[in-house]
Amino acid sequence: MVAEFGHIALILALALALVQGILPLIGAARGIPAWMALAPTAAMGQAVLVAFAFGCLTYAYVTSDFSVLNVAENSHTLKPMLYKVSGVWGNHEGSLLLWILILVIFGAAVAVFGRNLPATLKARVLSIQGLIGVGFLAFILFTSNPFARILPPPLEGRGLNPLLQDPGLAFHPPFLYLGYVGFSVAFSFAVAALIEGRVDPAWARWVRPWTLAAWCFLTVGIALGSWWAYYELGWGGWWFWDPVENASFMPWLAGTALLHSAVVVEKRETLKSWTILLAILTFSLSLLGTFLVRSGVINSVHAFATDPTRGVFILIFLGVVVGGSLTLYALRAPVLQAVGVFAPVSREGALVLNNLLLAVATAAVLLGTLYPMAVDALLGAKVSVGPQYFNTVFIPLMTPLLAAMAIGPLLAWKRGDVGAALRRLWPAALATVIALALGLWLLHGRDALALLGLALGAWLGIGTLCEWALRIKLFAAPLSETLNRARHLPRAAWGMTVAHLGMALMVLGITVSSVWQVEVQQVMKPGDIARVGPVEYRFLGVQPVRGPNYTAQQGRFEVIEGGEVARVMTPAQRRYQQPPMETTEAAIRPSPVADLYAVVGEGDAARGWAVRLYWKPLVSWIWLGALIMCFGGLLSLSDRRHRVGAPARKRIAASAAAAE
């Protein structure tokens, strides 16, 4: 009966979503306080019901209830408990239920933490959240029921895709969905603002924390997915411009632009309509990613290729949400008049450049992702758009963006002085020259673009520290004053500094690991030695091992550094029985300086085994940079100004002035 209780809870949640999506919206339009007050209660009720349904599905997985079709198709009694639980969202129906759970949790969070919101705005925001919930709850109930029964139940389940039986993939989807769905709050604020016809600094201050939280979650989710691809797929890479990778990267780019654009609205009360448009497009790109993953139009190791009916439903829903919101934007955006004016060379101008480059980069990734599908659908021809296209387009767009990231924070609002800002960045210029000299010394015929990456990483990292030092008057004031200024520096300013430093580390990690890595592919027999960069690998052979639900051929390598054995690495080829699949388990020894990476392939004792060995300098800086960026976002999120929004007394004064 647990499955039936979960199904009933989803039906009740759909009914509450309809109430939340319709009545408070009418109440806000007609000034009916009782109807507007329904929104928070309905949002909380939805969260309880969907959480109960999710708990029911989790219980079915934990107890291996194979009478539930979803459990029978995606679980197995021999699976470790971690993968029984993560198997809940390792499939289409369960992942969709997780999406809805996060959606209603965000709605409940707005209801709880939105006490400073005006009643009409809060009602409209929660109504839009409710209408989004209606679409997804209808989708799961009518096309993707996770509680469907199978009779008679099988004695054993089919098991989870072995590629998904990994800690990285256990935590990657929840973080990714927290990012995807978190942008729905910014979308709801944008649509509510269009309905009211008003966007002001208070609105920007209310919307920024939700956008910032979603951006942090999405950053971690993308980093976890990249890290999983690096160590689980065994090909030595961390990003391949896969359509599903792009599906998460596009909302991240648009969300980054939205964060910076909202700052301009808050500080200077300009770029209003552009910020609203970015909020709409960011969530629309999240919905597009949902369509790509679940429509079956793409093939990927982490896509849910399902029947076309589901894809059509999502496509219709996508059209309604995106088309409706853009139509409303076209009708209402002209009333959002900008108040502040600024010169092209100013802090606002730098943020506009930031937005322009990020928007073009998003469009370029979108074009490269959708073009092969469009050609296939219209002409029946198979074309591929690979890393060469994305790198060729993306790098020229990111170069001026990264250069401007160090200059922009040093410009004044309204009107700035580029010359003065550049003079203050002389340490960054010196670091750039040193990085270029070091790169030339180490280049040895490698890709000359490495010099650009080193220069940009040094420029951004040291330039960010220069801006921070100027804020606290480091070396320009007594130590006591410097410490006092640092202590009272707003957390949002600390967050910006930390996030920009994380980006600098990531740029350096991408550059050095891509250009200076050493790769050796050869057939090795026991006793053979291969030199890879500054280390040597001695192959000791292969032996069979058995895991909880797999068998494996495990290789052994001794890593020799300075003539002595420093460590032993044990890559493996695993063979799962249910479902039948072989996976590659790379052996990795990470360090801040360089990763050692070993993969063993097919072979036998007579002919030897195919192996791939890598030395990857600074590759761990990529994920370290992403985590530092996320930490910077969390620092900014902890700024009290984001939590309190516009002070209540200011709202009361504004209401009194409007009444007069």
Side-chain angles (χ1 to χ4, degrees):
M1 290 296 293
V2 172
E4 283 69 29
F5 286 147
H7 193 194
I8 292 171
L10 288 180
I11 295 172
L12 293 176
L14 175 60
L16 268 184
L18 286 167
V19 171
Q20 179 183 336
I22 297 173
L23 294 184
L25 204 60
I26 298 174
R30 297 185 177 180
I32 308 176
W35 287 22
M36 289 190 287
L38 287 173
T41 304
M44 297 295 293
Q46 263 199 94
V48 171
L49 289 169
V50 176
F52 176 78
F54 190 84
C56 290
L57 186 60
T58 303
Y59 178 81
Y61 268 86
V62 170
T63 59
S64 296
D65 183 1
F66 297 128
S67 67
V68 178
L69 178 62
N70 185 265
V71 179
E73 290 182 338
N74 299 285
S75 192
H76 193 277
T77 54
L78 296 180
K79 278 199 316 181
M81 183 55 66
L82 172 64
Y83 304 130
K84 284 187 177 181
V85 175
S86 63
V88 175
W89 55 80
N91 58 87
H92 168 73
E93 293 82 2
S95 69
L96 189 61
L97 184 57
L98 176 64
W99 175 290
I100 296 171
L101 174 64
I102 295 172
L103 179 69
V104 297
I105 288 175
F106 269 105
V110 173
V112 172
F113 298 110
R115 297 187 183 95
N116 288 323
L117 294 173
T120 55
L121 179 64
K122 183 176 180 179
R124 287 181 171 119
V125 168
L126 288 174
S127 285
I128 303 305
Q129 287 288 115
L131 292 175
I132 296 171
V134 168
F136 277 100
L137 284 165
F139 180 34
I140 198 171
L141 285 170
F142 295 121
T143 72
S144 309
N145 181 12
F147 299 106
R149 293 285 193 177
I150 177 173
L151 295 174
L155 297 177
E156 190 56 271
R158 296 181 183 178
L160 181 66
N161 184 339
L163 288 174
L164 304 181
Q165 296 185 38
D166 179 86
L169 257 291
F171 300 105
H172 162 62
F175 277 102
L176 203 64
Y177 288 3
L178 283 165
Y180 275 161
V181 183
F183 286 125
S184 69
V185 180
F187 172 84
S188 297
F189 268 95
V191 174
L194 287 174
I195 294 173
E196 291 193 352
R198 187 182 66 183
V199 174
D200 53 22
W203 177 90
R205 188 170 292 179
W206 286 320
V207 79
R208 277 190 67 203
W210 302 102
T211 305
L212 195 55
W215 181 88
C216 290
F217 285 128
L218 189 56
T219 300
V220 173
I222 293 173
L224 282 174
S226 169
W227 179 56
W228 169 81
Y230 171 68
Y231 73 81
E232 178 65 23
L233 298 183
W235 57 288
W238 53 272
W239 191 264
F240 195 66
W241 296 104
D242 178 275
V244 177
E245 293 173 338
N246 295 346
S248 61
F249 190 43
M250 288 184 290
W252 186 89
L253 290 171
T256 304
L258 174 60
L259 276 177
H260 292 83
S261 179
V263 173
V264 182
V265 177
E266 180 183 350
K267 300 293 186 182
R268 298 290 301 150
E269 206 166 348
T270 189
L271 298 185
K272 294 180 181 180
S273 61
W274 171 247
T275 303
I276 292 289
L277 180 60
L278 275 178
I280 293 172
L281 293 179
T282 301
F283 183 58
S284 299
L285 289 169
S286 297
L287 292 179
L288 177 64
T290 304
F291 166 72
L292 293 177
V293 171
R294 288 168 174 79
S295 62
V297 300
I298 59 173
N299 292 317
S300 171
V301 294
H302 40 323
F304 301 108
T306 59
D307 62 85
T309 304
R310 293 170 175 174
V312 170
F313 190 105
I314 299 177
L315 189 60
I316 294 173
F317 181 64
L318 180 64
V320 171
V321 173
V322 179
S325 58
L326 290 179
T327 300
L328 180 62
Y329 174 80
L331 295 173
R332 302 289 290 173
V335 305
L336 304 177
Q337 297 295 329
V339 175
V341 294
F342 57 90
V345 178
S346 61
R347 180 82 65 88
E348 299 96 322
L351 291 171
V352 168
L353 177 64
N354 160 288
N355 271 227
L356 176 63
L357 293 171
L358 286 171
V360 175
T362 305
V365 176
L366 179 65
L367 176 63
T369 303
L370 297 184
Y371 179 74
M373 306 174 200
V375 171
D376 187 17
L378 297 175
L379 305 178
K382 299 292 183 181
V383 297
S384 62
V385 177
Q388 184 176 1
Y389 160 79
F390 291 105
N391 292 334
T392 302
V393 173
F394 200 74
I395 292 175
L397 291 171
M398 291 300 101
T399 298
L401 175 64
L402 294 171
M405 283 174 65
I407 302 172
L410 291 172
L411 297 176
W413 293 104
K414 195 172 182 179
R415 183 179 299 276
D417 185 344
V418 173
L422 291 175
R423 285 191 294 272
R424 294 173 179 175
L425 289 171
W426 68 264
L430 178 61
T432 303
V433 172
I434 294 173
L436 286 172
L438 182 62
L440 284 170
W441 181 51
L442 297 173
L443 199 60
H444 299 308
R446 292 180 173 89
D447 191 348
L449 278 177
L451 299 177
L452 178 62
L454 291 175
L456 288 172
W459 169 261
L460 176 57
I462 303 303
T464 299
L465 291 176
C466 287
E467 190 271 342
W468 171 77
L470 287 168
R471 277 178 179 267
I472 64 173
K473 293 188 175 181
L474 186 65
F475 307 128
L479 180 60
S480 58
E481 181 182 346
T482 296
L483 293 176
N484 185 60
R485 292 177 69 90
R487 186 167 57 252
H488 291 93
L489 194 66
R491 291 185 183 178
W494 278 104
M496 180 195 71
T497 298
V498 172
H500 286 190
L501 286 175
M503 176 62 74
L505 284 180
M506 182 180 290
V507 170
L508 291 173
I510 291 171
T511 301
V512 175
S513 64
S514 300
V515 176
W516 277 278
Q517 81 165 8
V518 180
E519 175 185 358
V520 172
Q521 298 187 43
Q522 66 183 62
V523 175
M524 298 183 71
K525 295 181 179 181
D528 288 351
I529 295 177
R531 184 164 191 85
V532 184
V535 302
E536 292 181 332
Y537 290 82
R538 179 186 290 128
F539 184 50
L540 301 181
V542 174
Q543 60 184 13
V545 296
R546 179 175 291 275
N549 59 340
Y550 62 84
T551 59
Q553 294 293 318
Q554 186 180 81
R556 289 178 63 83
F557 292 89
E558 289 181 340
V559 180
I560 302 171
E561 297 183 66
E564 297 183 356
V565 176
R567 58 187 57 84
V568 175
M569 300 179 66
T570 55
Q573 286 282 330
R574 291 182 181 177
R575 180 175 288 105
Y576 290 81
Q577 300 300 323
Q578 193 65 28
M581 180 179 286
E582 293 187 2
T583 65
T584 299
E585 301 296 322
I588 305 173
R589 289 294 182 270
S591 80
V593 177
D595 281 13
L596 305 178
Y597 191 107
V599 177
V600 63
E602 299 294 332
D604 54 49
R607 295 176 298 169
W609 279 266
V611 302
R612 293 199 309 277
L613 307 171
Y614 299 87
W615 179 72
K616 293 177 166 291
L618 303 191
V619 69
S620 60
W621 287 25
I622 298 172
W623 301 289
L624 177 63
L627 292 178
I628 291 175
M629 289 169 63
C630 177
F631 179 65
L634 294 176
L635 267 180
S636 183
L637 188 61
S638 68
D639 194 312
R640 183 176 179 273
R641 295 174 299 174
H642 293 330
R643 297 197 302 273
V644 301
R649 62 178 181 272
K650 289 187 178 181
R651 294 204 316 274
I652 294 171
S655 299
E660 292 177 2

